[in-house]
Amino acid sequence: MEFKDSSHNGEQPVSYTVYGNLENYKNMLGQWDEEDSYVFMPVYGANVENKSYTAIVEAGEETSTITVTPGTNKDPFNHLNSTFEFRKSFKDQRYATAGSDKTVLTFDSELTNIERKVSYHLFKAGENTQYDDMAVCYREYLTDTLGVKKTDDVSDNIPVSIDFFMGIKEDGLILDTFQAVTTFEQVGEMIDELNQNGVESVEAQLKGWTKDGYYTDPVQFPVNSKIGGKKGLANLTEKYKDNKEVKISLETNLLEANEKAGGYNVNTDTITLGNYMVLNNNNKYLLSPNVSYGLFKDMVKNADKNKASDINGYSFYSVGQYLLYNYNSNNTLSLTQGKKIWQDMLAENEKTYGTTIVQGGNQYVLGSADKITDIPYEDSGYRITTKSVPVYQIALHGLVEFTGEPGNLSSDITEEKLKWAEYGYMPY
């Protein structure tokens, strides 16, 4: 937001929830609901006449919001600050007046007892500081304080990330049937064809490989027989076992639970909000993080008998986009506990397999993730913004690989490729 740009004056304040708002989870929205902005890093800053600072919420960031308040005629100053939530609040419809849609705001009885800290990094007065200097400041915090390691990949081959859609269950009048789209053998044939045409480094993520295919989470193993079964998966991973330029990962959705899928208990395993509402929409529930971690451990345990022990790793759906909490009396968890569980799960995957791919780039995944996906190219389009700047991409370049949206789903593949090159995205 440029101070010299007067078009934002008088606009309403904009608040960003760090790590996403669970109540506005993307696949639980109604037809007219808008998805929240993704805030992957708890950082903000300002530069006024070469007087600059960068602020980093170093502790308690999971309970924080960052607010930008443009100036008005009465108050000509722009305000930028972070705030912490000490008691979580919810709109409780149980106390609403009969026939009214008004709700009562209720609060947790207990304070959120965690450390909170904001550090301010001041630049020398007179330096011509720009947003890239602020990005480098955050980058140094990631490496020096959080221990995020620089990538050791010195290969001259630029890897290409490809999702292979394997299969999905089709609804029928009486019985549902599995529709095979791609077999494991065909995945190998396509990778070989890419290699022969000069694409030497391929990172393949397989979607819909599970027992009943795509959209039947949380059921995972056994591998569906129509796409080749466990023997087909074993042949595929064995084929590239000694080829460091080809990586095979399985996408897994451990957050969402389809109502028809089974494999979970809707009363004890799902997310409940503080107003006692079970979070669900479109025949889908969200699972408690500790339940998700248990499902992951089961996957690792069952890998051998399903011939999946030679995969390079897993791709974790939405884990880097949303931090979850739970008020279910069977699995009560805070945001801080939810963050710890995601970090433990990703660290265990990295230790077991070596390749960890995460959808979304929230700061807590950066210690284990080798690649993060679905990183936006642009800002959220609020009227207060003058232009979009790639702070996140500068901070992460050379630390973790990242992708945007798939190029073949773009309306302009040429522009997409130029963005990949300019911002350092992996071709996808």
Side-chain angles (χ1 to χ4, degrees), residues 87-90 105-110:
R87 293 181 193 268
K88 201 150 194 63
S89 62
F90 297 92
L105 195 63
T106 59
F107 292 85
D108 277 353
S109 58
E110 300 293 332

Side-chain angles (χ1 to χ4, degrees), residues 277-296:
M277 289 182 61
V278 176
L279 199 60
N280 71 92
N281 189 30
N282 297 325
N283 301 318
K284 189 184 290 288
Y285 295 91
L286 280 182
L287 296 174
S288 187
N290 55 329
V291 174
S292 300
Y293 193 9
L295 290 171
F296 171 72

Side-chain angles (χ1 to χ4, degrees), residues 247-282:
K247 295 180 180 179
I248 308 292
S249 299
L250 304 179
E251 184 188 80
T252 181
N253 184 351
L254 300 176
L255 273 73
E256 300 176 1
N258 192 293
E259 190 174 54
K260 296 181 180 179
Y264 67 99
N265 186 313
V266 70
N267 295 314
T268 60
D269 296 344
T270 57
I271 294 284
T272 300
L273 301 179
N275 54 9
Y276 301 97
M277 289 182 61
V278 176
L279 199 60
N280 71 92
N281 189 30
N282 297 325

Side-chain angles (χ1 to χ4, degrees), residues 216-408:
T216 56
D217 309 295
V219 176
Q220 306 291 329
F221 289 121
V223 179
N224 190 280
S225 60
K226 289 189 176 181
I227 58 174
K230 60 184 179 182
K231 184 177 180 181
L233 177 59
N235 290 339
L236 180 65
T237 54
E238 177 67 28
K239 183 176 183 178
Y240 301 107
K241 187 175 181 180
D242 298 322
N243 186 346
K244 294 182 179 180
E245 297 293 346
V246 176
K247 295 180 180 179
I248 308 292
S249 299
L250 304 179
E251 184 188 80
T252 181
N253 184 351
L254 300 176
L255 273 73
E256 300 176 1
N258 192 293
E259 190 174 54
K260 296 181 180 179
Y264 67 99
N265 186 313
V266 70
N267 295 314
T268 60
D269 296 344
T270 57
I271 294 284
T272 300
L273 301 179
N275 54 9
Y276 301 97
M277 289 182 61
V278 176
L279 199 60
N280 71 92
N281 189 30
N282 297 325
N283 301 318
K284 189 184 290 288
Y285 295 91
L286 280 182
L287 296 174
S288 187
N290 55 329
V291 174
S292 300
Y293 193 9
L295 290 171
F296 171 72
K297 289 182 176 180
D298 289 340
M299 287 167 57
V300 174
K301 191 185 303 181
N302 292 325
D304 280 339
K305 67 179 182 181
N306 285 281
K307 308 295 184 183
S309 52
D310 287 334
I311 63 171
N312 293 103
Y314 284 100
S315 175
F316 294 90
Y317 180 83
S318 261
V319 167
Q321 288 178 330
Y322 290 91
L323 199 55
L324 309 186
Y325 56 84
N326 197 1
Y327 281 78
N328 189 312
S329 58
N330 299 285
N331 285 311
T332 305
L333 288 169
S334 67
L335 284 168
T336 304
Q337 291 169 322
K339 181 177 74 171
K340 178 67 164 54
I341 289 173
W342 285 161
Q343 289 176 320
D344 289 346
M345 183 173 70
L346 297 179
E348 184 172 333
N349 179 78
E350 187 70 9
K351 182 179 179 181
T352 305
Y353 297 104
T355 297
T356 302
I357 303 169
V358 186
Q359 185 184 37
N362 285 344
Q363 179 182 277
Y364 55 79
V365 309
L366 301 180
S368 296
D370 301 288
K371 179 171 70 179
I372 52 179
T373 69
D374 292 67
I375 304 304
Y377 299 118
E378 305 290 344
D379 64 18
S380 301
Y382 289 111
R383 291 178 64 182
I384 64 172
T385 55
T386 308
K387 59 184 177 182
S388 180
V389 294
V391 171
Y392 189 79
Q393 289 83 349
I394 293 173
L396 254 64
H397 190 61
L399 300 183
V400 181
E401 297 281 8
F402 49 89
T403 71
E405 65 179 46
N408 58 314

Side-chain angles (χ1 to χ4, degrees), residues 92-97 99-104:
D92 199 330
Q93 293 179 322
R94 294 177 303 161
Y95 304 112
T97 306
S100 170
D101 59 356
K102 291 184 178 180
T103 57
V104 174

